[in-house]
Amino acid sequence: MKIAQACTIAGSDSGGGAGIQADIKTFQEREVFGTSVIVAITVQNTKGVSGIYPTPVQGVQEQLEAVFSDFEIGAIKTGMLVDQSYMKIVASFLTAYPDIPLVVDPVMIAKGGASLMADEAMKGMKETLVPLATLITPNLPEAEEIVGHAIASEAEMVAAAYEIQQMGSRNVLIKGGHALNQREAKDYLLTNDGIGHWLGGPRYETQHTHGTGCTYSACITAELAKGQSVLKAVRTGKAFIDAAIKEELKIGHGEGPTNHWAYGRKERGNETTY
């Protein structure tokens, strides 16, 4: 049996709930072998981010070359990329691999409120990475930054998805968990064929949501690496993150991490309540 392999290009989270660590945990849970390119080391825990130390650009280039010269990467995910210099080098490298699905998670702000991407990097992301993306996965605040205006209704979510698709990303997933409907966490997926799909789910009262965006997009990446369609991959990602939030771990003294093994337990029929 051929083992599906994926690569995450992002920052390291010393708290283990987001970034590279969340991605690798999620890949593993979906039975996908995970590789990584570390763009920065962040000093953080559930209470916030207190430092960001970018990897030398040459180091990022060499990591990319090492991974792609050896492994059969079936899907790629980008997360925190710090600034335009990193986006350019990553985008330039990935143009040589147009047939590998690319999921762009436009990480901008950590749960604790710290900026994880330089302000000028937004322009660079839209110019370099978005046109290469198979799927981009912004939450509502990130989508607002990308389109440059507020999104205050479901109709505006739909319109924003079309705006972002016009920037080059073949598929767009706008995650609505941050606002709009307080009773339900609704996401909107606009696929390459122009068809829109609403994905609903319950909203949970919990502070343990650190790394939800990373985990959601990592699960999608893992499914794409296994050859699933974008729609099926996103549906699995939605179910995965729903379980990860519902079965909270209650770890840390701030915005705690999600439960990366909850969905696997649910699939096996042995859910655990902590």
Side-chain angles (χ1 to χ4, degrees), residues 20 41 52 57 63 74 94 128 131 155 158 167 171 177 180 196-197 203-204 211 226 245 251 265 269:
I20 292 285
I41 295 172
I52 299 176
V57 172
Q63 288 179 80
L94 294 183
T128 59
V158 173
M167 297 176 190
N171 303 272
L180 298 188
H197 308 266
R203 186 180 297 278
Y204 301 107
K226 292 188 284 188
I245 296 172
I251 288 175
R265 286 179 178 271

Side-chain angles (χ1 to χ4, degrees), residues 237-269:
K238 180 69 171 177
F240 189 96
I241 196 60
D242 177 83
I245 296 172
K246 179 183 178 183
E247 298 293 329
E248 57 186 10
L249 295 172
K250 300 177 182 176
I251 288 175
H253 297 86
E255 295 278 353
T258 64
N259 184 343
H260 292 93
W261 59 75
Y263 185 68
R265 286 179 178 271
K266 183 177 180 180
E267 283 188 311
R268 294 187 294 271

Side-chain angles (χ1 to χ4, degrees), residues 81-84 87 107-109 113-126 145-146:
L81 295 182
V82 186
D83 61 30
Q84 290 192 56
M87 290 177 188
V107 180
M108 299 175 192
I109 305 293
S115 176
L116 297 176
M117 191 170 77
D119 291 340
E120 71 275 8
M122 174 57 67
K123 183 174 183 289
M125 185 185 70
K126 290 194 284 188
E145 287 292 323
I146 293 169

Side-chain angles (χ1 to χ4, degrees), residues 33-52:
F33 184 82
T35 65
S36 64
V37 173
I38 299 177
V39 175
I41 295 172
T42 67
V43 180
Q44 64 176 299
N45 54 28
T46 65
K47 295 184 284 187
V49 180
S50 57
I52 299 176

Side-chain angles (χ1 to χ4, degrees), residues 87-241:
M87 290 177 188
K88 287 178 181 177
I89 197 167
V90 170
S92 176
F93 186 88
L94 294 183
T95 54
Y97 301 91
D99 296 329
I100 302 178
L102 171 63
V103 176
V104 174
D105 184 24
V107 180
M108 299 175 192
I109 305 293
K111 274 291 187 297
S115 176
L116 297 176
M117 191 170 77
D119 291 340
E120 71 275 8
M122 174 57 67
K123 183 174 183 289
M125 185 185 70
K126 290 194 284 188
E127 291 177 350
T128 59
L129 282 174
V130 175
L132 298 177
T134 302
L135 173 71
I136 188 169
T137 62
N139 58 34
L140 276 173
E142 290 162 349
E144 289 177 335
E145 287 292 323
I146 293 169
V147 299
H149 58 76
I151 301 171
S153 68
E154 290 182 359
E156 290 180 4
M157 280 179 71
V158 173
Y162 277 97
E163 282 187 67
I164 296 171
Q165 192 178 64
Q166 289 299 310
M167 297 176 190
S169 181
R170 281 162 277 171
N171 303 272
V172 180
L173 174 66
I174 298 182
K175 299 169 292 186
H178 279 67
L180 298 188
N181 190 327
Q182 295 303 313
R183 295 168 298 175
E184 191 176 14
K186 292 182 72 174
D187 304 335
Y188 181 75
L189 171 66
L190 176 63
T191 48
N192 194 37
D193 54 12
I195 298 175
H197 308 266
W198 285 102
L199 297 91
R203 186 180 297 278
Y204 301 107
E205 291 298 326
T206 176
Q207 69 178 15
H208 301 282
T209 58
H210 180 58
T212 53
C214 301
T215 299
Y216 194 167
S217 58
C219 183
I220 294 169
T221 304
E223 297 306 304
L224 292 175
K226 292 188 284 188
Q228 300 292 351
S229 68
V230 169
L231 178 57
K232 188 170 181 179
V234 170
R235 283 177 171 160
T236 300
K238 180 69 171 177
F240 189 96
I241 196 60

